[in-house]
Amino acid sequence: MSALEDQFVAEARELIRQATDNLIALERDGMSSDRIDSVFRAFHTLKGSAGVVELPAMSLVLHAAEDVLDNVRHGTLVAGAEMVDAALACLDQVSRWVDNFEAAGALPSQAGEDSRAMAQRLRAFLPRSGDQIVSSASDLPKEKGQGSLPEWVSRLIAAERDTITSQMPKGPMAATAISYEPFAGCFYNGDDPVQLMRQVPGLLALQIEPREPFGPLADIDPYACNLRLRAVSSGSRDEIAALFRLVPDQIEIISVPPEALPAAKMHLGSGDQPLICKVIEAQCELMRIPDRADDLAGCIGAAARVAENALRHGQRPDLADTVKHAGALALGQRDAGPLLSALEKALAAFTSTPSTMAVNGESQAASERPADRVLRVSEAKIEALVNLAGELVVARNALSYSVGQVERKLDSGEVARSIQRDRDAIDRLVTELHGAVLQLRMVPFSQLFGSFPRLVRDLARQLDKKVALVTSGETTEADKTIIDRLFEPMVHLVRNALDHGIEDPGQRRAAGKPEAAKISIAASRSGDRLLVEVTDDGRGIDPSVVRRKASERQILPPDELAALSDEAAVDLVFSAGFSTASTVSDISGRGFGMDVVRTAIEQIGGRVSLHSNVGVGTTVRLELPMTIAMSRIMVVEAGGQSFGIAMEAVSETVRVAPDRVSTIKNNAAFVLRDRVVPIISLAELMKLPRRKRDAEPRLLVVMEAAGRIAALEIDAVRDRLDVVLKPMQGLLAGARGYAGTTLLGNGQVLLVLDVKEILP
Amino acid sequence: MTIRRGDEDIVVLDGVCAVEDAETLLQMLQATPGALVDWTQCRQLHTAVLQVIMASGSAPVGPCGDVWVQQWLTPKLPQKGTAG
């Protein structure tokens, strides 16, 4: 993709988001001129950009939406829910097309048809007033007859000006413009679009072009029609319609009044381009004549004026201004040089730009507005940088180890101290560098929250519930990977809250609650962890209902179920195969239970907890690491070998006297703050020789994951490290019980345990 | 045969070129990148064949034997040497 296309994709997404937000705000808070202007501008800029990257299907539908919004802006149309729905659907479509365009460099083949259908749906909102054009034409005499014509017709006529006039010697007459976009599969129906065009009576001009740019020859499907044919004919609208009667959905027929045709038009088309070029060339020649001291000033002034006028005439006011300034400069310096170079540049710019550039000029200028510029760097580059910084941290750890070795071997304190000082400096720099690189990937939560107003709006409408969404902590930042991976679980939580948590307005009234429910999403930082809370003020989760469902679904044996506290019972909603909804709805019942939320969050090193008060509401709390690039691990030793344990799973390390350890059914366990914690020997687990030291206190690492708890017996705690965890690869890829490996300072490969696999 | 290989690097369109000739033409152009298309003897050109010529990005040799195509479409095709 070219830089222009890249920029288009990024900006289009931003504009779509902006338009979506404002549309929703418009509907929620009522009409305000600022809002509607902002929506209109977003659609307008999008349409212009789509034109620049030549995506006519996208332009078409955006144009229709823009017309509708323009009516809203001028008060001739009210923005009702249906209209907002249609506008949002349009943005969804455009958003999908932007994705297609980014992935494949083109829109899908049915884009044109989809676009027409959607444009029709949008235009249905427009008020019907036949004489609108006449009244506006009186305000703008120059544009007479043009305002009523679709853009493509004006462009077609302008581009084919010469051909049309040569075919139309008797002066202006009414004509018909035809745009024919055959279906991609039309050849299979036996259609021959060119053959149809041959039969058009009184053909004045014809254009044929690919709908989407052709790819490399190797990828061309010879039987997928990717053409657009446009023509101007002196035949009547009815004749043309009869000819194309079999393809009504692929054709657009527009009557063109005589005054819109070139002979009567004062408006300049590209047909004047050669003339303008000649004029400018002549001025260049004039400026190239050397040694003209006497009349130089007059020459410069005249040449600049002539060229300026010619360029203005050619619809290039930008070039005209440049030439004007260069002329003034040349006059001031009494040197033709500046004007000559400006003229040459203008000539090059004028000849190289197609006439459509003038049309797109406005939107281009708009997209080049000096907004707060950010540097766009591809994710892959950042990823490479993060990996390098990660490797550097590992190398730094290795250096620390070597320094330790040197210190022990060297008696001379001087050298050791010097090495140590340098090591400390490198230490600090590497830490800072790594931190800075990770900062590059930090994105604000607003990116994640942005899509929720839309989601909540659509769901609430679907469910006939009234919901206000409150978000806070948008500026809180987190690693992009975390934000990306949070999206799906968050969507599920919000859906769940809306679908199951929030009552119908009637039920809410009966319960003495305001009819409009509230869902809040809040992000915040707590130390080096992130907290995200999704809270609703709905019916809450009833532990007795959860118990009943759990026993129906046999999640736990009845005796264990009875022993659970209410809080633990509510936590069962995270169990696999649990769903509290009595009916599976299409909102949240998509085989994606709360267990998937928990799994997704735990995969990124987070924890999920849930607090609910019956009748008051539910809060789901996600506790997350700031980044998943580095993992903090504890290095432990057992049976003479080292292992890593992710710190996030470790709740504490304890030394337990032998008399506190009791044996239950052959398994060792001890009581920690009124909880029975089973003890697993890491050495035994790894089939390593276990040191018999039953008389000594045991060293235990208490681990918690997925709601289970256990203590791992180890021989010693060696270290705490920040490491880049590498997934198990090659022969080890299938090994169970390990989360990954990491390289230690001494070059040893450390196996990091997957705590969830180990817990009983 | 309405599409055949002429001299080296030349593909000749002859007579009525129908829809199924599009694939033949495409294969020949794929096999010989930069091959020239000679359509002077073509009497009638199907849209699908025209589309392959357009997609190849280079203008055919000489005036098209299909007079209508020559009048209305040849000026719209890319000039020789602008192959992409």
Side-chain angles (χ1 to χ4, degrees):
Chain A
M1 272 224 267
S2 73
L4 181 71
E5 288 166 347
D6 277 339
Q7 192 183 352
F8 164 74
V9 167
E11 281 193 355
R13 290 203 173 117
E14 174 61 25
L15 286 166
I16 291 168
R17 196 192 53 72
Q18 188 190 326
T20 307
D21 288 354
N22 280 312
L23 270 171
I24 289 166
L26 198 68
E27 193 187 36
R28 189 185 56 213
D29 309 336
M31 181 69 185
S32 89
S33 59
D34 283 0
R35 281 262 154 73
I36 184 68
D37 279 352
S38 163
V39 174
F40 177 81
R41 268 200 310 276
F43 272 88
H44 180 74
T45 313
L46 258 175
K47 183 193 75 175
S49 316
V52 172
V53 293
E54 293 178 47
L55 298 174
M58 197 184 278
S59 295
L60 177 77
V61 69
L62 287 165
H63 191 125
E66 193 189 333
D67 285 350
V68 171
L69 291 166
D70 199 34
N71 272 279
V72 175
R73 207 156 63 124
H74 292 107
T76 46
L77 196 66
V78 177
E82 305 290 322
M83 199 222 87
V84 173
D85 272 349
L88 287 173
C90 167
L91 288 173
D92 287 345
Q93 178 70 72
V94 171
S95 173
R96 280 194 296 275
W97 282 338
V98 169
D99 292 347
N100 294 144
F101 182 66
E102 187 184 33
L107 300 191
S109 54
Q110 79 279 7
E113 294 145 49
D114 292 348
S115 172
R116 253 189 302 283
M118 183 160 280
Q120 216 161 13
R121 184 182 160 200
L122 284 162
R123 289 199 191 279
F125 289 99
L126 288 175
R128 307 246 167 259
S129 65
D131 291 334
Q132 218 180 347
I133 301 133
V134 177
S135 62
S136 68
S138 62
D139 301 334
L140 296 160
K142 218 176 109 188
E143 296 287 318
K144 194 176 169 193
Q146 279 248 303
S148 61
L149 292 176
E151 198 185 344
W152 67 264
V153 178
S154 319
R155 225 190 280 183
L156 174 66
I157 293 170
E160 299 295 330
R161 185 188 148 84
D162 290 351
T163 327
I164 294 172
T165 38
S166 70
Q167 298 284 324
M168 210 173 43
K170 289 177 200 148
M173 56 185 188
T176 309
I178 307 160
S179 177
Y180 176 23
E181 294 192 14
F183 286 160
C186 73
F187 296 155
Y188 291 106
N189 302 340
D191 288 357
D192 184 350
V194 167
Q195 186 58 31
L196 257 178
M197 278 294 178
R198 285 176 205 257
Q199 298 168 41
V200 170
L203 197 59
L204 298 175
L206 180 75
Q207 280 189 341
I208 186 167
E209 57 187 7
R211 275 202 295 270
E212 303 298 339
F214 289 118
L217 213 51
D219 300 342
I220 299 283
D221 175 356
Y223 296 130
C225 184
N226 174 32
L227 296 174
R228 179 192 298 117
L229 297 103
R230 282 178 174 160
V232 182
S233 147
S234 60
S236 76
R237 202 195 150 90
D238 290 348
E239 282 177 87
I240 309 282
L243 181 62
F244 289 96
R245 67 194 178 281
L246 295 178
V247 288
D249 42 352
Q250 301 161 44
I251 190 108
E252 206 178 333
I253 304 171
I254 304 285
S255 298
V256 182
E259 64 268 25
L261 286 173
K265 253 175 46 138
M266 297 309 290
H267 185 76
L268 261 164
S270 61
D272 295 290
Q273 194 165 342
L275 183 65
I276 293 166
C277 290
K278 275 192 196 130
V279 170
I280 302 173
E281 272 165 25
Q283 308 315 310
C284 289
E285 283 307 310
L286 202 61
M287 287 301 105
R288 284 195 194 106
I289 299 171
D291 305 326
R292 293 171 34 156
D294 44 347
D295 59 346
L296 183 66
C299 273
I300 289 174
R305 223 168 13 252
V306 169
E308 184 198 333
N309 285 340
L311 285 166
R312 263 188 224 293
H313 193 64
Q315 313 265 307
R316 293 302 300 264
D318 51 342
L319 296 178
D321 286 341
T322 319
V323 167
K324 188 179 168 187
H325 290 137
L329 190 69
L331 265 181
Q333 296 177 357
R334 301 194 62 78
D335 173 14
L339 180 60
L340 182 59
S341 77
L343 284 173
E344 282 165 347
K345 275 183 200 149
L347 191 62
F350 188 73
T351 45
S352 67
T353 27
S355 55
T356 47
M357 278 308 279
V359 179
N360 294 328
E362 179 201 1
S363 57
Q364 262 210 336
S367 68
E368 277 168 17
R369 68 196 177 282
D372 45 343
R373 277 285 181 212
V374 287
L375 183 62
R376 291 201 176 91
V377 183
S378 82
E379 233 179 301
K381 284 184 189 164
I382 301 276
E383 206 53 52
L385 204 57
V386 169
N387 283 340
L388 278 177
E391 299 285 344
L392 198 58
V393 171
V394 174
R396 189 258 330 252
N397 288 350
L399 180 66
S400 296
Y401 179 80
S402 310
V403 169
Q405 299 278 79
V406 169
E407 270 172 344
R408 269 190 291 282
K409 292 234 169 83
L410 279 182
D411 291 333
S412 153
E414 194 59 32
V415 179
R417 261 197 300 283
S418 149
I419 294 178
Q420 205 172 15
R421 214 171 30 245
D422 294 347
R423 192 258 329 255
D424 288 347
I426 288 176
D427 233 37
R428 187 173 51 79
L429 288 173
V430 167
T431 308
E432 274 178 26
L433 175 69
H434 190 249
V437 166
L438 288 186
Q439 274 298 318
L440 288 179
R441 295 208 312 186
M442 294 303 240
V443 292
F445 264 89
S446 53
Q447 273 198 9
L448 175 67
F449 290 174
S451 42
F452 284 97
R454 172 74 193 278
L455 178 80
V456 169
R457 174 201 176 269
D458 288 358
L459 282 183
R461 246 171 85 75
Q462 225 173 314
L463 293 164
D464 261 334
K465 291 179 179 176
K466 286 188 183 166
V467 185
L469 176 73
V470 183
T471 53
S472 63
E474 283 94 341
T475 51
T476 309
E477 290 194 324
D479 191 284
K480 188 171 186 314
T481 324
I482 298 272
I483 297 271
D484 286 349
R485 297 246 217 133
L486 259 181
F487 181 71
E488 248 182 65
M490 290 283 290
V491 166
H492 189 68
L493 289 176
V494 170
R495 271 189 182 150
N496 249 339
L498 254 157
D499 198 11
H500 308 317
I502 286 168
E503 312 91 331
D504 296 331
Q507 291 173 334
R508 289 184 66 89
R509 264 197 311 275
K513 291 181 179 180
E515 220 170 85
K518 194 173 117 180
I519 292 184
S520 61
I521 309 177
S524 59
R525 272 183 79 159
S526 152
D528 63 346
R529 304 282 281 182
L530 285 168
L531 283 183
V532 182
E533 288 185 331
V534 180
T535 308
D536 68 71
D537 65 348
R539 58 171 70 93
I541 299 174
D542 189 342
S544 62
V545 175
V546 176
R547 280 207 172 83
R548 203 185 67 229
K549 302 262 171 183
S551 84
E552 276 170 20
R553 289 170 176 72
Q554 300 176 342
I555 305 241
L556 276 184
D559 51 330
E560 279 186 44
L561 210 52
L564 286 180
S565 67
D566 278 358
E567 199 153 316
V570 169
D571 202 64
L572 286 177
V573 297
F574 290 113
S575 315
F578 190 96
S579 166
T580 49
S582 27
T583 54
V584 171
S585 70
D586 68 334
I587 308 287
S588 41
R590 292 184 184 173
F592 190 86
M594 289 290 267
D595 58 317
V596 182
V597 173
R598 176 161 274 179
T599 314
I601 297 300
E602 283 177 355
Q603 266 171 6
I604 51 177
R607 295 182 197 189
V608 187
S609 56
L610 187 147
H611 303 278
S612 187
N613 284 330
V614 178
V616 181
T618 306
T619 298
V620 179
R621 191 180 149 105
L622 313 178
E623 201 187 302
L624 304 154
M626 299 290 278
T627 159
I628 54 170
M630 291 294 274
S631 320
R632 199 161 171 75
I633 59 160
M634 179 191 253
V635 182
V636 300
E637 206 180 287
Q641 271 201 29
S642 295
F643 296 95
I645 305 173
M647 284 292 271
E648 62 209 22
V650 175
S651 42
E652 60 191 301
T653 48
V654 286
R655 235 172 240 286
V656 178
D659 56 338
R660 277 183 62 197
V661 177
S662 39
T663 306
I664 307 165
K665 291 189 210 156
N666 251 346
N667 291 318
F670 78 110
V671 176
L672 182 69
R673 287 187 288 277
D674 299 332
R675 277 174 92 178
V676 177
V677 181
I679 298 174
I680 308 159
S681 158
L682 183 55
E684 272 177 21
L685 197 66
M686 294 297 158
K687 311 238 168 5
L688 295 168
R690 182 173 167 230
R691 286 189 230 164
K692 279 275 172 201
R693 289 184 309 187
D694 281 349
E696 288 171 42
R698 296 189 184 193
L699 184 58
L700 302 174
V701 180
V702 182
M703 307 182 301
E704 251 183 298
R708 287 167 297 171
I709 189 166
L712 206 58
E713 185 185 352
I714 54 169
D715 295 339
V717 175
R718 284 279 169 253
D719 219 342
R720 285 179 173 80
L721 289 175
D722 286 321
V723 297
V724 182
L725 206 57
K726 299 252 159 87
M728 304 291 277
Q729 281 167 342
L731 281 177
L732 293 175
R736 287 169 62 92
Y738 300 103
T741 60
T742 192
L743 210 57
L744 287 184
N746 57 5
Q748 188 196 337
V749 174
L750 183 75
L751 289 164
V752 180
L753 303 174
D754 184 350
V755 173
K756 263 181 291 175
E757 290 267 346
I758 291 170
L759 287 183
Chain B
M1 268 302 256
T2 49
I3 300 212
R4 59 186 156 80
R5 202 175 279 281
D7 291 342
E8 207 180 334
D9 288 352
I10 290 195
V11 178
V12 179
L13 307 190
D14 198 349
V16 177
C17 294
V19 62
E20 60 271 16
D21 292 320
E23 194 168 14
T24 321
L25 175 61
L26 180 65
Q27 282 165 356
M28 286 190 188
L29 291 178
Q30 280 169 348
T32 322
L36 293 174
V37 176
D38 175 352
W39 64 358
T40 50
Q41 294 157 64
C42 163
R43 270 189 296 117
Q44 198 175 354
L45 197 61
H46 190 277
T47 315
V49 181
L50 178 71
Q51 179 174 258
V52 171
I53 294 173
M54 287 173 72
S56 77
S58 59
V61 179
C64 182
D66 181 337
V67 179
W68 190 88
V69 169
Q70 177 59 26
Q71 181 187 354
W72 291 105
L73 296 175
T74 309
K76 313 290 177 194
L77 295 180
Q79 294 310 300
K80 224 160 85 185
T82 56

